[in-house]
Amino acid sequence: DVKVTQSSRYLVKRTGEKVFLECVQDMDHENMFWYRQDPGLGLRLIYFSYDVKMKEKGDIPEGYSVSREKKERFSLILESASTNQTSMYLCASSFLAGGHTQYFGPGTRLTVL
Amino acid sequence: AQSVTQLDSQVPVFEEAPVELRCNYSSSVSVYLFWYVQYPNQGLQLLLKYLSGSTLVESINGFEAEFNKSQTSFHLRKPSVHISDTAEYFCAVSELRDYKLSFGAGTTVTVRA
Protein backbone atom coordinates (compact mmCIF):
# COMPACT_ATOMS: atom_id res chain seq x y z
CA ASP A 1 0.00 0.00 0.00
CA VAL A 2 1.13 3.52 -0.78
CA LYS A 3 1.85 5.50 2.31
CA VAL A 4 2.08 9.26 2.58
CA THR A 5 2.86 10.54 6.05
CA GLN A 6 2.82 14.05 7.42
CA SER A 7 4.86 15.10 10.41
CA SER A 8 2.02 16.45 12.55
CA ARG A 9 -1.78 16.06 12.65
CA TYR A 10 -2.28 19.25 14.64
CA LEU A 11 -0.02 22.25 14.99
CA VAL A 12 -0.49 25.57 16.80
CA LYS A 13 1.89 28.43 16.02
CA ARG A 14 2.06 32.14 16.71
CA THR A 15 1.99 34.92 14.15
CA GLY A 16 5.46 35.56 12.74
CA GLU A 17 6.86 32.13 13.52
CA LYS A 18 8.59 30.06 10.85
CA VAL A 19 6.69 26.83 10.31
CA PHE A 20 7.85 23.60 8.68
CA LEU A 21 5.43 20.94 7.48
CA GLU A 22 7.03 17.68 6.42
CA CYS A 23 5.72 15.04 4.06
CA VAL A 24 7.22 11.64 3.25
CA GLN A 25 6.09 9.08 0.68
CA ASP A 26 7.29 5.51 0.29
CA MET A 27 6.30 4.69 -3.31
CA ASP A 28 9.16 6.27 -5.25
CA HIS A 29 6.74 8.79 -6.79
CA GLU A 30 8.23 11.55 -8.88
CA ASN A 31 5.51 14.10 -8.14
CA MET A 32 4.73 15.61 -4.78
CA PHE A 33 2.15 18.28 -4.00
CA TRP A 34 1.10 20.60 -1.21
CA TYR A 35 -2.52 21.74 -0.98
CA ARG A 36 -4.48 23.74 1.50
CA GLN A 37 -8.09 22.82 2.18
CA ASP A 38 -10.61 25.39 3.36
CA PRO A 39 -14.38 24.98 3.76
CA GLY A 40 -16.26 25.88 0.60
CA LEU A 41 -13.07 26.27 -1.41
CA GLY A 42 -12.02 22.67 -1.89
CA LEU A 43 -8.32 21.97 -2.33
CA ARG A 44 -6.04 24.62 -3.71
CA LEU A 45 -2.55 23.82 -4.95
CA ILE A 46 0.24 25.72 -3.22
CA TYR A 47 3.37 24.17 -4.75
CA PHE A 48 4.37 20.98 -6.46
CA SER A 49 7.57 19.20 -7.39
CA TYR A 50 8.23 16.72 -10.18
CA ASP A 51 11.81 15.88 -9.23
CA VAL A 52 14.41 16.44 -6.54
CA LYS A 53 15.29 20.13 -6.18
CA MET A 54 12.60 21.03 -8.74
CA LYS A 55 9.55 23.04 -7.73
CA GLU A 56 6.77 24.92 -9.41
CA LYS A 57 4.24 27.36 -8.07
CA GLY A 58 0.65 26.31 -7.85
CA ASP A 59 -2.38 28.55 -7.63
CA ILE A 60 -1.69 30.15 -4.24
CA PRO A 61 2.09 30.20 -3.54
CA GLU A 62 2.23 33.59 -1.79
CA GLY A 63 3.57 33.31 1.75
CA TYR A 64 4.89 29.77 1.23
CA SER A 65 8.06 28.10 0.02
CA VAL A 66 9.04 24.46 -0.42
CA SER A 67 12.07 22.23 -0.33
CA ARG A 68 12.73 18.86 -1.92
CA GLU A 69 16.21 17.60 -1.19
CA LYS A 70 15.31 13.89 -1.40
CA LYS A 71 12.84 12.17 -3.67
CA GLU A 72 10.69 10.86 -0.83
CA ARG A 73 10.46 14.09 1.18
CA PHE A 74 8.71 17.38 0.41
CA SER A 75 8.63 20.21 2.93
CA LEU A 76 6.31 23.20 3.05
CA ILE A 77 7.66 26.30 4.77
CA LEU A 78 5.73 29.27 6.08
CA GLU A 79 8.44 31.89 6.43
CA SER A 80 6.39 34.11 8.74
CA ALA A 81 3.08 32.57 9.69
CA SER A 82 -0.03 34.73 9.57
CA THR A 83 -3.55 34.10 10.85
CA ASN A 84 -4.91 33.76 7.31
CA GLN A 85 -2.71 30.69 6.91
CA THR A 86 -4.79 28.82 9.48
CA SER A 87 -5.99 25.86 7.45
CA MET A 88 -5.76 22.14 6.76
CA TYR A 89 -2.66 21.27 4.76
CA LEU A 90 -2.61 18.13 2.64
CA CYS A 91 0.37 16.53 0.99
CA ALA A 92 0.02 14.18 -1.99
CA SER A 93 2.26 12.19 -4.32
CA SER A 94 1.90 10.48 -7.68
CA PHE A 95 3.81 9.03 -10.57
CA LEU A 96 4.96 11.51 -13.19
CA ALA A 97 2.56 10.96 -16.12
CA GLY A 98 -0.93 12.39 -16.29
CA GLY A 99 -3.87 10.27 -15.19
CA HIS A 100 -2.08 8.72 -12.26
CA THR A 101 -3.80 8.70 -8.91
CA GLN A 102 -2.62 11.18 -6.32
CA TYR A 103 -2.19 9.59 -2.90
CA PHE A 104 -2.84 11.84 0.08
CA GLY A 105 -1.49 12.06 3.58
CA PRO A 106 -3.83 12.48 6.57
CA GLY A 107 -3.36 16.24 6.70
CA THR A 108 -1.99 18.76 9.18
CA ARG A 109 -4.44 21.15 10.79
CA LEU A 110 -2.46 24.33 11.40
CA THR A 111 -3.75 27.07 13.66
CA VAL A 112 -1.91 30.39 13.69
CA LEU A 113 -2.74 32.56 16.69
CA ALA B 1 -7.06 26.13 -17.74
CA GLN B 2 -9.77 23.86 -16.41
CA SER B 3 -12.26 24.49 -13.63
CA VAL B 4 -14.61 22.25 -11.69
CA THR B 5 -18.04 23.05 -10.28
CA GLN B 6 -19.76 20.81 -7.78
CA LEU B 7 -23.35 21.89 -7.86
CA ASP B 8 -24.34 20.87 -4.33
CA SER B 9 -22.40 21.75 -1.21
CA GLN B 10 -24.51 19.62 1.16
CA VAL B 11 -26.55 16.51 0.41
CA PRO B 12 -28.51 14.96 3.29
CA VAL B 13 -29.87 11.51 2.48
CA PHE B 14 -31.54 8.65 4.32
CA GLU B 15 -29.90 5.27 4.61
CA GLU B 16 -30.68 2.92 1.68
CA ALA B 17 -31.84 5.84 -0.49
CA PRO B 18 -30.07 6.73 -3.75
CA VAL B 19 -27.74 9.69 -4.03
CA GLU B 20 -26.35 11.71 -6.93
CA LEU B 21 -23.52 14.21 -6.64
CA ARG B 22 -23.22 16.55 -9.58
CA CYS B 23 -19.95 17.70 -11.11
CA ASN B 24 -19.42 19.89 -14.16
CA TYR B 25 -16.07 20.90 -15.58
CA SER B 26 -14.83 23.33 -18.15
CA SER B 27 -11.82 22.64 -20.32
CA SER B 28 -10.85 23.30 -23.90
CA VAL B 29 -8.95 20.00 -24.20
CA SER B 30 -9.45 16.35 -23.35
CA VAL B 31 -9.35 15.54 -19.66
CA TYR B 32 -9.03 12.86 -17.02
CA LEU B 33 -11.73 12.91 -14.34
CA PHE B 34 -11.61 11.78 -10.74
CA TRP B 35 -13.81 11.45 -7.67
CA TYR B 36 -12.08 11.44 -4.30
CA VAL B 37 -13.68 10.81 -0.90
CA GLN B 38 -12.59 12.23 2.45
CA TYR B 39 -13.90 10.51 5.56
CA PRO B 40 -13.91 12.53 8.80
CA ASN B 41 -10.41 13.34 10.05
CA GLN B 42 -8.70 11.61 7.15
CA GLY B 43 -6.94 12.54 3.94
CA LEU B 44 -8.48 12.09 0.51
CA GLN B 45 -8.62 8.71 -1.17
CA LEU B 46 -9.48 7.86 -4.75
CA LEU B 47 -13.02 6.62 -5.30
CA LEU B 48 -12.91 6.21 -9.08
CA LYS B 49 -11.45 7.77 -12.19
CA TYR B 50 -12.16 8.08 -15.89
CA LEU B 51 -9.20 7.99 -18.25
CA SER B 52 -10.69 6.68 -21.50
CA GLY B 53 -12.95 3.97 -22.91
CA SER B 54 -16.36 3.22 -21.41
CA THR B 55 -18.06 6.32 -20.14
CA LEU B 56 -19.46 4.51 -17.09
CA VAL B 57 -16.93 3.95 -14.33
CA GLU B 58 -17.56 1.88 -11.22
CA SER B 59 -15.89 1.72 -7.84
CA ILE B 60 -15.55 -1.29 -5.57
CA ASN B 61 -17.99 0.06 -2.98
CA GLY B 62 -21.03 0.56 -5.20
CA PHE B 63 -20.48 4.07 -6.56
CA GLU B 64 -20.52 4.79 -10.26
CA ALA B 65 -19.91 7.88 -12.37
CA GLU B 66 -20.75 8.64 -15.96
CA PHE B 67 -18.62 10.81 -18.20
CA ASN B 68 -20.75 12.96 -20.49
CA LYS B 69 -18.53 14.79 -22.92
CA SER B 70 -21.27 16.88 -24.54
CA GLN B 71 -22.48 18.15 -21.17
CA THR B 72 -18.96 18.24 -19.66
CA SER B 73 -20.21 16.41 -16.60
CA PHE B 74 -19.04 13.56 -14.40
CA HIS B 75 -21.86 12.91 -11.92
CA LEU B 76 -21.41 10.38 -9.12
CA ARG B 77 -24.23 8.04 -8.10
CA LYS B 78 -24.96 5.30 -5.66
CA PRO B 79 -28.28 3.43 -5.72
CA SER B 80 -28.37 2.71 -1.96
CA VAL B 81 -26.21 4.53 0.61
CA HIS B 82 -24.99 3.36 4.00
CA ILE B 83 -24.24 5.33 7.14
CA SER B 84 -20.55 4.70 6.39
CA ASP B 85 -20.85 6.73 3.17
CA THR B 86 -21.04 9.91 5.26
CA ALA B 87 -18.07 11.89 3.97
CA GLU B 88 -17.00 14.79 1.79
CA TYR B 89 -16.69 14.04 -1.91
CA PHE B 90 -14.46 15.93 -4.32
CA CYS B 91 -14.57 15.96 -8.08
CA ALA B 92 -11.25 16.70 -9.83
CA VAL B 93 -10.02 17.12 -13.38
CA SER B 94 -6.65 17.15 -15.11
CA GLU B 95 -5.70 17.75 -18.71
CA LEU B 96 -4.24 14.78 -20.53
CA ARG B 97 -0.65 15.99 -20.56
CA ASP B 98 -0.77 17.39 -17.06
CA TYR B 99 -0.42 15.73 -13.68
CA LYS B 100 -1.90 18.58 -11.69
CA LEU B 101 -5.47 18.30 -10.51
CA SER B 102 -8.10 21.01 -10.22
CA PHE B 103 -10.61 20.25 -7.49
CA GLY B 104 -14.20 21.26 -6.96
CA ALA B 105 -15.32 22.81 -3.69
CA GLY B 106 -16.61 19.48 -2.37
CA THR B 107 -19.99 18.00 -1.49
CA THR B 108 -20.71 16.87 2.05
CA VAL B 109 -22.94 13.81 2.16
CA THR B 110 -24.65 13.08 5.46
CA VAL B 111 -26.46 9.74 5.66
CA ARG B 112 -29.13 9.43 8.34
CA ALA B 113 -30.79 6.30 9.65
Side-chain angles (χ1 to χ4, degrees):
Chain A
D1 267 0
V2 175
K3 192 149 186 171
V4 180
T5 57
Q6 295 184 229
S7 50
S8 306
R9 291 300 306 270
Y10 300 93
L11 209 52
V12 180
K13 295 292 182 181
R14 297 210 171 271
T15 303
E17 280 193 82
K18 191 168 186 176
V19 181
F20 293 87
L21 303 182
E22 302 282 336
C23 175
V24 178
Q25 52 94 4
D26 66 357
M27 278 301 292
D28 204 34
H29 285 162
E30 294 88 1
N31 295 333
M32 295 189 75
F33 307 84
W34 275 107
Y35 296 91
R36 65 176 283 175
Q37 180 182 7
D38 299 288
L41 297 177
L43 277 72
R44 293 178 292 167
L45 183 63
I46 304 171
Y47 268 97
F48 65 100
S49 168
Y50 54 88
D51 199 354
V52 175
K53 297 191 185 295
M54 305 304 291
K55 61 184 178 184
E56 288 196 26
K57 294 179 180 179
D59 300 318
I60 51 165
E62 295 78 19
Y64 304 94
S65 62
V66 290
S67 172
R68 193 166 180 200
E69 297 296 319
K70 293 184 178 180
K71 190 174 185 179
E72 68 271 18
R73 188 179 297 269
F74 193 35
S75 302
L76 180 69
I77 303 154
L78 287 66
E79 295 289 342
S80 177
S82 64
T83 54
N84 62 12
Q85 292 178 309
T86 292
S87 186
M88 171 70 86
Y89 290 87
L90 293 167
C91 175
S93 70
S94 75
F95 287 114
L96 186 62
H100 283 289
T101 301
Q102 288 190 18
Y103 294 87
F104 284 81
T108 296
R109 184 165 295 282
L110 172 68
T111 302
V112 183
L113 302 176
Chain B
Q2 65 272 25
S3 67
V4 181
T5 302
Q6 291 184 242
L7 296 162
D8 307 288
S9 59
Q10 308 260 357
V11 174
V13 58
F14 286 106
E15 194 174 20
E16 298 184 8
V19 71
E20 179 180 74
L21 309 184
R22 297 177 293 167
C23 173
N24 288 107
Y25 69 92
S26 65
S27 176
S28 57
V29 299
S30 296
V31 296
Y32 297 128
L33 294 156
F34 303 78
W35 276 100
Y36 281 83
V37 59
Q38 184 178 35
Y39 298 106
N41 298 314
Q42 295 186 25
L44 277 70
Q45 54 188 276
L46 181 72
L47 194 56
L48 47 77
K49 65 181 177 182
Y50 171 79
L51 302 182
S52 65
S54 172
T55 58
L56 188 65
V57 185
E58 297 179 359
S59 73
I60 58 172
N61 52 1
F63 283 93
E64 64 180 29
E66 187 163 16
F67 170 51
N68 188 318
K69 189 174 182 179
S70 62
Q71 296 185 6
T72 60
S73 68
F74 192 52
H75 300 333
L76 182 71
R77 303 181 183 94
K78 189 171 185 179
S80 176
V81 295
H82 303 288
I83 297 287
S84 59
D85 293 321
T86 293
E88 190 161 18
Y89 293 79
F90 293 93
C91 182
V93 62
S94 72
E95 296 179 356
L96 292 192
R97 289 190 177 84
D98 199 357
Y99 40 73
K100 301 191 301 295
L101 293 176
S102 294
F103 285 87
T107 298
T108 299
V109 173
T110 304
V111 182
R112 299 168 182 162

